[in-house]
Amino acid sequence: MKKLLIYLRDYKKESILGPLFKLLEASFELIVPLVVAAMIDTGIGSGDKGYIWRQCAVMAALGLIGLVCAVTAQYFAAKAAVGFATKLRHGLFAHIQSLSFSQMDREGTSTLITRMTSDINQVQSGVNLVLRLFLRSPFIVFGAMIMAFTVDVKAALIFVVVIPVLSVIVFGIMLVSIPLFKKVQGRLDGVMGITRENLTGVRVIRAFGEEEHETGKFDAETDALKHMQTFAGKISALMNPLTYVVINAGLVALIYVGALQVEEGILSQGQVIALVNYMSQILVELVKLANLIITVTKAVACGNRIQTIFEIPAGMDDGAQAGGQAEAGKKSGRTESSVPAESGADSARGTVEFDHVSLRYHKGGEEALTDIHFKAARGATIGVIGGTGSGKSSLVNLIPRFYDVEKGSVKVDGRDVREYSLSELRDKIGIVMQKAVLFKGTIRDNLLWGNENADDGELWDALRTAQAEEFVLQKKDGLDERIEQEGRNLSGGQKQRLSIARALVKKPEILILDDSASALDYATDAALRKSIREMPGETTVFIVSQRASSLLHADLIIVLDDGEVAGMGTHKELLENCEVYQEIYYSQFERSEEEAAQNAERR
């Protein structure tokens, strides 16, 4: 939590002025009991109404000045707290963006969302209250005790007993509460996860009639959260009654001792009232302090959770900034020396080489890919096929370096991808993920993600190649047609074609289509692949597909089986000597249909 306070450094002035004005307000508040005592002893005792009115005016002035100080302190505290939360949120978001895919998979989307929203809001409230009350409440408590000593030493000894007892209660409950509130936030992550799953998968849930099952899961998770919050709340709820008991016991003792001393003529009635007021001030401030500590314990627990995300190192070093590449190569199993500068010449542009690559998502887990070795020449079309979970997406995700290899190396343009800066590497690559992701805005806005400087002619060319021109022309506003979040107002095939067009706008050296035509019919799929082959330039294309027909034209087809290469070659070669490919192909085409499929592909 302490490390997060660096985000307050731009609000040093507000962080000082807020507590300072609160201390000024507290100073004026400590004077009030003395004014009341003088009013009772001098004004009421002698019947001097003029003196009473003058003291009332003094009290009103003290109250007004205190109000101005309080409002000023609140302004500075709120400004610092909101600014702190804003910078913290920006910093956390930027750090999450630097995490690798595997780290995000391990942490989970729901817990990252909770930390970005609920946790930061709790920390913001904690900072606000700390700036307002953390110095004020102790100042009032110990200030009241000191002022009590100026009135009467014997009576003030009661304060010396009461305050340590209250401190033990307050800080003891705080120590118990902090880990409990941390567990509460953990349970909140679970509720967030289930809520997110249900909202994103609501159609599937209804299609299979699983509403009752999901409702039961949600109820179980929320009940667990409720019980945890109730238990933590019961511990925190002990704060107020225990402090009231101690304070009221102190008041009883104070009135008893004060009455005896008034009877003996040692104290005046006004002085006893002043002592009672100081004890009451301590009561009020300790209640505030108790509530502050409850909020601060939640804030500390949430701050620690946020800090755990910051402590996750960036998923991968940027090649342009990372040092010791040779040493990194040794550790990762690379045996070849770095490619010299001239290897990036035009002869190597657009080439992709997998040099005995192995991939493991988590330490200790099984290998997702094992000893993958091939080279794609510039302008070649590489097909990747295999059963579900065979590692097809894992293979192509290594090219833009979404994951780092464990052994071997992946080279683009003759250079290891780890030697590129991430921006330089990914500028060369256009990728269309398995799930078509569109953002809220217009069709034009989404396409310009590929190249923000593209003109309308380039956008239409990309749409034409992606077989999306026809349905965009049918839209009332054309390129300015509005798209809802995740493209909810488009069909699956339309979303996929727009995603492909977005990648084509970039005019990449390497184009990766990761099962991105699964929602297209065979005719549209064939037209798409034909138009991609006819694109100007020599773009290296990787096509991941479950359809054998989509790969008939590929220069090289890689057949994967459980993370290993089961076969590699052209369609004709694989059909002759690769059992896995034969099984896939003939499960989709009858042997008599083979020739017809090839003819359709040629057309």
Side-chain angles (χ1 to χ4, degrees):
M1 176 66 185
K2 292 179 182 178
K3 295 179 182 178
L4 301 183
L5 297 181
I6 60 172
Y7 293 99
L8 268 177
R9 62 188 172 192
D10 292 334
Y11 298 93
K12 293 178 182 177
K13 180 182 72 174
E14 289 81 0
S15 299
I16 293 172
L17 291 176
L20 180 61
F21 275 98
K22 271 296 180 182
L23 291 181
L24 285 175
E25 178 203 1
S27 300
F28 293 123
E29 192 172 322
L30 288 173
I31 299 173
V32 171
L34 298 181
V35 175
V36 172
M39 186 187 300
I40 292 172
D41 291 339
T42 304
I44 297 176
S46 61
D48 187 348
K49 293 184 179 180
Y51 184 84
I52 294 173
W53 284 111
R54 287 195 297 274
Q55 294 302 104
C56 286
V58 170
M59 289 178 62
L62 290 173
L64 182 60
I65 296 171
L67 175 63
V68 172
C69 290
V71 171
T72 305
Q74 176 61 53
Y75 167 77
F76 286 123
K79 184 177 180 181
V82 173
F84 162 80
T86 300
K87 289 184 175 294
L88 176 58
R89 194 172 283 111
H90 287 169
L92 182 60
F93 186 81
H95 182 73
I96 289 173
Q97 291 295 315
S98 74
L99 300 180
S100 67
F101 281 22
S102 58
Q103 288 171 320
M104 288 189 182
D105 295 341
R106 184 169 61 251
E107 293 300 321
T109 304
S110 59
T111 187
L112 294 176
I113 292 174
T114 303
R115 282 160 170 75
M116 283 287 298
T117 53
S118 174
D119 285 354
I120 289 182
N121 288 339
Q122 290 282 6
V123 173
Q124 176 182 324
S125 298
V127 170
N128 193 351
L129 287 178
V130 164
L131 292 177
R132 288 168 47 207
L133 299 177
F134 189 71
L135 290 181
R136 182 189 189 280
S137 293
F139 182 81
I140 289 280
V141 171
F142 291 103
M145 184 177 70
I146 293 170
M147 296 298 288
F149 272 101
T150 65
V151 175
D152 181 68
V153 174
K154 185 177 180 181
L157 291 175
I158 298 171
F159 288 75
V160 176
V161 175
V162 168
I163 290 175
V165 173
L166 289 172
S167 299
V168 169
I169 292 172
V170 168
F171 288 103
I173 291 175
M174 181 185 71
L175 290 174
V176 175
S177 298
I178 288 178
L180 289 177
F181 283 117
K182 190 172 182 179
K183 291 180 180 178
V184 166
Q185 291 301 116
R187 286 289 185 184
L188 186 61
D189 283 348
V191 173
M192 178 74 74
I194 290 179
T195 304
R196 180 175 176 274
E197 288 174 4
N198 278 269
L199 290 178
T200 55
V202 62
R203 295 186 180 184
V204 178
I205 292 169
R206 290 179 178 176
F208 285 88
E210 290 293 311
E211 293 94 336
E212 290 187 10
H213 174 71
E214 292 300 320
T215 300
K217 277 176 56 179
F218 182 79
D219 288 345
E221 195 67 32
T222 51
D223 285 343
L225 173 62
K226 180 189 74 173
H227 292 315
M228 183 61 69
Q229 284 181 318
T230 302
F231 182 66
K234 287 178 180 178
I235 299 296
S236 298
L238 292 174
M239 186 87 73
N240 284 353
L242 290 178
T243 52
Y244 269 100
V245 167
V246 174
I247 284 291
N248 282 291
L251 280 174
V252 170
L254 184 61
I255 292 172
Y256 175 75
V257 171
L260 293 179
Q261 291 189 309
V262 167
E263 187 177 353
E264 294 174 3
I266 300 173
L267 291 177
S268 65
Q269 293 175 337
Q271 289 175 318
V272 174
I273 295 297
L275 290 170
V276 171
N277 281 340
Y278 283 129
M279 185 65 79
S280 298
Q281 283 184 348
I282 291 175
L283 172 62
V284 171
E285 290 306 319
L286 281 171
V287 170
K288 290 181 182 178
L289 187 61
N291 292 327
L292 167 65
I293 288 173
I294 291 171
T295 302
V296 168
T297 54
K298 292 180 181 179
V300 169
C302 293
N304 290 335
R305 282 161 47 83
I306 295 169
Q307 184 59 39
T308 58
I309 302 300
F310 277 112
E311 289 173 354
I312 300 172
M316 49 189 67
D317 294 326
D318 197 314
Q321 301 170 356
Q325 285 293 333
E327 184 64 24
K330 292 176 185 177
K331 292 181 179 178
S332 62
R334 288 156 57 192
T335 57
E336 296 180 10
S337 60
S338 297
V339 177
E342 57 267 22
S343 66
D346 287 344
S347 61
R349 284 178 63 83
T351 63
V352 177
E353 181 180 356
F354 277 61
D355 185 6
H356 299 286
V357 167
S358 294
L359 170 67
R360 196 187 306 269
Y361 283 110
H362 302 292
K363 290 183 178 179
E366 295 183 359
E367 286 188 343
L369 294 173
T370 303
D371 196 30
I372 308 296
H373 185 74
F374 69 91
K375 184 172 182 178
R378 179 181 182 181
T381 298
I382 309 298
V384 184
I385 196 169
T388 302
S390 59
K392 302 185 298 297
S393 295
S394 299
L395 186 145
V396 294
N397 281 338
L398 293 175
I399 301 173
R401 203 184 168 205
F402 292 150
Y403 300 93
D404 265 338
V405 300
E406 184 176 20
K407 297 177 184 177
S409 63
V410 178
K411 296 177 182 177
V412 170
D413 294 356
R415 289 173 58 194
D416 193 309
V417 293
R418 287 168 290 193
E419 296 174 5
Y420 285 96
S421 68
L422 293 177
S423 59
E424 181 188 3
L425 173 65
R426 291 170 186 173
D427 279 344
K428 296 174 176 288
I429 301 169
I431 185 167
V432 186
M433 303 284 194
Q434 278 183 311
K435 180 181 179 183
V437 177
L438 297 175
F439 299 92
K440 187 176 182 180
T442 63
I443 292 176
R444 186 195 309 276
D445 294 336
N446 276 271
L447 294 180
L448 288 176
W449 274 65
N451 177 8
E452 62 182 9
N453 298 316
D455 57 32
D456 281 7
E458 292 174 301
L459 299 184
W460 283 111
D461 285 344
L463 289 170
R464 196 172 300 114
T465 302
Q467 307 302 303
E469 181 184 33
E470 182 181 355
F471 85 80
V472 174
L473 286 172
Q474 292 173 354
K475 299 294 183 182
K476 178 181 177 183
D477 297 319
L479 289 173
D480 295 314
E481 180 75 15
R482 298 293 298 178
I483 294 179
E484 295 181 9
Q485 181 68 33
E486 296 185 354
R488 285 191 293 266
N489 57 334
L490 299 176
S491 69
Q494 289 172 339
K495 287 192 288 186
Q496 286 190 339
R497 283 178 280 171
L498 284 181
S499 298
I500 294 170
R502 179 173 58 195
L504 294 175
V505 168
K506 193 174 184 178
K507 297 179 180 178
E509 292 179 19
I510 301 166
L511 177 64
I512 300 172
L513 304 177
D514 185 3
D515 204 12
S516 54
S518 57
L520 304 183
D521 58 68
Y522 283 93
T524 305
D525 185 15
L528 170 65
R529 284 181 278 107
K530 181 180 178 183
S531 62
I532 289 176
R533 288 199 305 273
E534 295 172 353
M535 287 191 306
E538 294 183 280
T539 302
T540 306
V541 182
F542 283 79
I543 301 177
V544 177
S545 181
Q546 300 277 8
R547 296 176 180 174
S549 62
S550 299
L551 308 179
L552 297 179
H553 68 285
D555 301 300
L556 177 69
I557 301 174
I558 301 170
V559 184
L560 293 178
D561 184 26
D562 197 21
E564 298 181 356
V565 174
M568 194 179 299
T570 63
H571 164 69
K572 185 177 181 180
E573 292 169 347
L574 292 172
L575 209 54
E576 292 175 356
N577 54 38
C578 181
E579 291 184 8
V580 176
Y581 187 76
Q582 291 169 2
E583 183 180 345
I584 294 172
Y585 184 81
Y586 289 122
S587 69
Q588 299 172 12
F589 297 98
E590 294 293 337
R591 294 180 186 268
S592 60
E593 296 177 353
E594 178 183 348
E595 185 177 347
Q598 291 176 341
N599 291 335
E601 179 62 26
R602 283 193 290 269
R603 289 197 297 271

